[in-house]
Amino acid sequence: MEYLVSIIIPIYNVEKYLEKCIKSMINQTYRNLEIILINDGSTDESANICEKYKEQDNRIVFINKNNGGAASAKNEGLKIAKGDYITFVDSDDFVELYMIEYMVNTIKKYNSDIVQCSFTNLYKNTEKFKQDKIIEQKIGSKDFLELFLTKWDSNLFWNKLFKREVIENVFFKEGRCIDDEFFTYKCVINSKSIVTSNKIVYNYRMRKSGVMKSESSQKQILKDRVDYLYERYEIVRKIYKDLDKDFLEHLLTYYLIISKDYYVDEKLLDYMKNNLKSIKGKIITSNIDIRVKMQILKFMMTKSDKYIQSKNQLEEVAIDEDIYFE
């Protein structure tokens, strides 16, 4: 039996890169595909490009919708996806032609629920290299959740293939600047095992728009991080009580880092403190690193305007624009 794989591709004003993305999908060595293109109110030629390829390939499903953001576009795809397995590709990226075949074979080989592969961060000057050794490892969902604390790519969703059962009724949070972190860990919780592989199958295009954000976007990103860290801690600790300490310490450590961010303001600091007040008793009684505990309690007791005035904020990071795609 050849399983159906649904590929969800949210699209917004990417006429420059869209054809390469679509071609990398329709030319996959694995043929039993449902390629879902969701145009999220693009004002360039993206919709016309989608229409052109839909006429050429009957595996393509094309949805035209009003602009609602990437999360809403992906959610539209999830609502109609028919695949036994589901994956996502950003419309300015492209994948290796063997990606789906490799991921399906690997997830079947290990009888797993999710497979995570590796990727290349594609800059203007990136050169391809040949991989000498492919390493695959099957781990339980609880052990994989622990990787969220040390390996940032565990949060990503576009480097993974999901069995339908673990992704059903899990949707992206709309109105956010970042959405991986609100989504992926819930699918992991729904799974029994995950296979990780270092095989590079995905090319992630590094664009200026991805690193050069407006001040309002930077502040929204900080707010998103504050929310997902707290939400994830509350959900994970209820399911895996023995992960409580590690996820609490991770939450508090990153709250301290965020509190020093260049774009942090008093409103966000007060919001963070309100979150922390609800778990103050747990913070005091937990056996987390004493340095983290003392710093977070000091943060909670310091007025936000005084905290801002302490001039401890991290400097804004300079960006080398020349290495990024438009």
Side-chain angles (χ1 to χ4, degrees):
M1 175 184 177
E2 192 175 45
Y3 295 98
L4 177 65
V5 177
S6 296
I7 306 165
I8 297 172
I9 307 175
I11 297 161
Y12 182 72
N13 287 354
V14 286
E15 60 181 5
K16 188 174 182 179
Y17 306 113
L18 183 55
E19 291 207 52
K20 185 160 189 174
C21 175
I22 295 175
K23 285 179 180 178
S24 75
M25 293 289 96
I26 63 178
N27 292 315
Q28 286 288 306
T29 56
Y30 191 92
R31 305 303 296 169
N32 193 20
L33 304 176
E34 177 188 46
I35 304 167
I36 304 174
L37 307 178
I38 308 104
N39 180 45
D40 189 40
S42 295
T43 57
D44 63 0
E45 289 298 307
S46 293
N48 291 333
I49 293 170
C50 291
E51 288 283 8
K52 181 180 80 172
Y53 281 94
K54 180 188 175 185
E55 291 177 6
Q56 297 175 12
D57 195 317
N58 61 12
R59 298 173 300 170
I60 290 178
V61 178
F62 177 45
I63 298 174
N64 230 337
K65 64 182 284 295
N66 293 330
N67 180 253
S72 76
K74 290 190 283 278
N75 285 340
E76 286 299 313
L78 283 170
K79 289 173 187 175
I80 67 165
K82 298 182 177 68
D84 303 292
Y85 297 100
I86 298 172
T87 191
F88 303 85
V89 176
D90 284 346
S91 52
D92 50 359
D93 299 333
F94 62 97
V95 304
E96 300 300 327
L97 300 185
Y98 53 76
M99 183 184 85
I100 300 299
E101 182 177 13
Y102 174 75
M103 293 179 105
V104 169
N105 287 342
T106 304
I107 208 169
K108 288 165 60 180
K109 173 182 173 183
Y110 290 94
N111 190 26
S112 191
D113 300 311
I114 301 172
V115 59
Q116 171 181 287
C117 290
S118 194
F119 58 92
T120 297
N121 281 329
L122 196 66
Y123 297 89
K124 282 184 177 179
N125 57 356
T126 300
E127 294 183 6
K128 281 211 167 191
F129 65 94
K130 184 178 179 180
Q131 283 187 284
D132 294 325
K133 188 175 182 181
I134 305 303
I135 301 172
E136 299 169 349
Q137 182 182 17
K138 181 179 179 178
I139 57 179
S141 58
K142 178 183 162 187
D143 290 333
F144 190 84
L145 276 175
E146 292 188 80
L147 295 180
F148 278 65
L149 307 181
T150 56
K151 293 184 178 294
W152 67 272
D153 60 338
S154 302
N155 285 295
L156 301 175
F157 60 85
W158 42 257
N159 65 338
K160 296 175 176 65
L161 179 70
F162 301 89
K163 187 180 284 187
R164 183 180 190 87
E165 288 80 3
V166 305
I167 207 170
E168 279 188 313
N169 300 316
V170 181
F171 292 97
F172 292 88
K173 281 207 171 185
E174 299 183 18
R176 301 283 184 168
C177 282
I178 53 177
D179 49 20
D180 306 56
E181 289 86 347
F182 290 99
F183 177 85
T184 310
Y185 80 92
K186 294 173 185 173
C187 299
V188 172
I189 288 173
N190 289 342
S191 71
K192 293 180 180 178
S193 64
I194 297 93
V195 177
T196 62
S197 170
N198 69 337
K199 189 174 182 67
I200 295 173
V201 301
Y202 194 104
N203 298 284
Y204 184 86
R205 196 182 298 275
M206 302 297 293
R207 297 179 62 196
K208 291 179 183 178
S209 59
V211 294
M212 300 176 67
K213 305 285 188 183
S214 66
E215 182 175 347
S216 61
S217 293
Q218 294 284 8
K219 288 185 175 183
Q220 182 61 53
I221 289 170
L222 289 180
K223 171 68 163 48
D224 291 350
R225 286 178 177 152
V226 166
D227 284 342
Y228 90 71
L229 285 164
Y230 185 78
E231 177 196 273
R232 190 178 66 188
Y233 166 67
E234 285 292 320
I235 291 175
V236 170
R237 77 182 181 91
K238 290 174 183 175
I239 298 172
Y240 298 108
K241 290 182 171 52
D242 53 336
L243 295 184
D244 190 320
K245 172 185 173 293
D246 290 340
F247 272 81
L248 176 61
E249 191 167 307
H250 187 264
L251 163 69
L252 301 181
T253 299
Y254 273 84
Y255 266 33
L256 289 171
I257 293 171
I258 291 169
S259 75
K260 303 292 185 183
D261 192 274
Y262 182 85
Y263 291 99
V264 78
D265 56 23
E266 291 180 36
K267 183 179 179 181
L268 183 59
L269 291 178
D270 288 338
Y271 181 80
M272 292 163 64
K273 288 175 185 178
N274 281 331
N275 282 352
L276 294 170
K277 282 178 184 176
S278 66
I279 55 172
K280 185 177 179 180
K282 182 167 284 292
I283 294 171
I284 292 172
T285 58
S286 68
N287 62 340
I288 60 172
D289 189 314
I290 189 63
R291 294 166 296 180
V292 174
K293 182 184 293 191
M294 297 308 295
Q295 287 182 64
I296 208 74
L297 291 173
K298 181 181 178 181
F299 164 66
M300 292 173 68
M301 292 186 291
T302 305
K303 289 186 176 180
S304 296
D305 60 338
K306 299 292 184 184
Y307 198 86
I308 292 284
Q309 292 169 16
S310 66
K311 300 182 187 287
N312 287 328
Q313 280 86 4
L314 299 173
E315 293 297 321
E316 186 176 21
V317 178
I319 302 296
D320 181 2
E321 298 181 31
D322 293 337
I323 66 173
Y324 293 92
F325 291 94
E326 295 295 332

